[in-house]
Amino acid sequence: MVAKLTYFAMSGIGDPIRLLLSYSNIEFEDIRIGKGEDWQKLKPTLKLPYLPMLEMDGKTHFQTFAICRYLARKAGLNGSSEEEGLAIDATVDTLVDMLKKTVLDYFRPDSEERSKLLKTSLEVTIPFYLNVFEKQLEENNGYLVAGKLTWADIVVLTLGTYLCGIFKVDILADFPKLKEHRQKISELPVIKEWLEKRPADPEDYRLL
Ligand SMILES: N[C@@H](CCC(=O)N[C@@H](CS)C(=O)NCC(=O)O)C(=O)O
């Protein structure tokens, strides 16, 4: 049975799962629903009131990063030891910290306070976290963990790019290792193929 991924018509936290499914050659239906009426109808029928939702092998799964980790284990992208698995999880958690401290402020209604918060995001918070990733790339031969491709690379590529799209600036401009990383991961054949064929993001929240 073909798997089904249900999310909104945007990259957001759907893209890491879409990319890991593609990387694993798991055929899936990429269901992109509207945020209005479609979502209001679907929401009360779900176990948890949010998306993405993955239906696979007769089961329904929620929680983006648990799903990513599950797919990554199947694809051999969760490192080769418990320590590597821990370092991957910690990297993804660090990215999530960065997103929580920046994306929510972006979606506040326009105000003087919002402008100040966005300035702090761009000038302080985002560079702080990107610097952490830049150092990891230096220490791990151009990958985030373990000197090889793991699901942390895919999550940082997709969500880092989403953040660029939201802020409409190339947040990686001053981070040469992260730029090289984005280039390298997005040129892996299966990932390149996915990036070329995925539908447009109507909200235009991406630069890649
Ligand atoms: N912990 C969940 C959170 C999912 C989540 O917040 N999804 C948002 C979209 S990015 C959503 O469904 N929002 C719709 C709503 O809250 O009504 C996960 O990681 O998958």
Side-chain angles (χ1 to χ4, degrees):
M1 206 169 70
V2 176
K4 279 188 200 169
L5 179 76
T6 307
Y7 188 58
F8 302 105
M10 60 184 208
S11 49
I13 48 177
D15 262 13
I17 303 177
R18 294 177 181 128
L19 251 174
L20 281 162
L21 286 164
S22 304
Y23 183 88
S24 311
N25 289 315
I26 297 173
E27 203 188 332
F28 70 103
E29 218 181 306
D30 186 12
I31 301 168
R32 293 166 178 250
I33 67 162
K35 281 184 176 160
E37 214 181 299
D38 286 354
W39 174 229
Q40 292 315 319
K41 256 198 230 157
L42 179 65
K43 189 169 170 171
T45 69
L46 303 179
K47 176 181 168 186
L48 289 172
Y50 37 68
L51 299 173
M53 167 176 77
L54 177 66
E55 294 164 84
M56 199 168 135
D57 301 330
K59 298 220 165 79
T60 302
H61 309 284
F62 290 88
Q63 299 295 9
T64 308
F65 299 105
I67 294 173
C68 286
R69 193 175 299 109
Y70 166 73
L71 294 172
R73 278 198 202 107
K74 282 178 175 292
L77 291 179
N78 195 40
S80 314
S81 65
E82 287 180 0
E83 284 71 23
E84 287 182 3
L86 171 63
I88 294 165
D89 284 349
T91 302
V92 172
D93 284 351
T94 304
L95 180 82
V96 172
D97 287 349
M98 175 170 92
L99 294 173
K100 278 191 186 151
K101 285 175 196 286
T102 53
V103 174
L104 296 179
D105 288 335
Y106 179 86
F107 288 108
R108 282 169 184 253
D110 214 0
S111 68
E112 207 173 301
E113 198 201 350
R114 175 180 181 265
S115 307
K116 272 193 205 149
L117 289 166
L118 295 195
K119 192 167 165 0
T120 306
S121 287
L122 279 171
E123 291 177 3
V124 182
T125 316
I126 293 175
F128 170 82
Y129 284 103
L130 294 184
N131 216 16
V132 171
F133 296 135
E134 187 85 354
K135 284 206 182 104
Q136 282 187 225
L137 293 173
E138 249 168 58
E139 290 161 4
N140 290 284
N141 192 28
Y143 294 92
L144 286 159
V145 179
K148 63 185 178 207
L149 183 72
T150 67
W151 67 281
D153 295 296
I154 290 177
V155 170
V156 168
L157 170 78
T158 50
L159 291 175
T161 300
Y162 175 61
L163 200 58
C164 286
I166 284 181
F167 283 98
K168 300 280 180 286
V169 284
D170 189 357
I171 54 170
L172 303 187
D174 295 332
F175 297 90
K177 298 256 175 246
L178 271 161
K179 277 184 96 158
E180 242 175 69
H181 175 260
R182 176 167 69 185
Q183 188 73 18
K184 180 171 65 184
I185 306 301
S186 56
E187 279 180 3
L188 292 172
V190 75
I191 292 184
K192 189 164 188 266
E193 199 184 310
W194 159 253
L195 292 171
E196 280 166 3
K197 78 169 189 209
R198 70 185 171 169
D201 188 334
E203 297 191 25
D204 194 24
Y205 285 150
R206 64 185 183 216
L207 288 183
L208 184 70

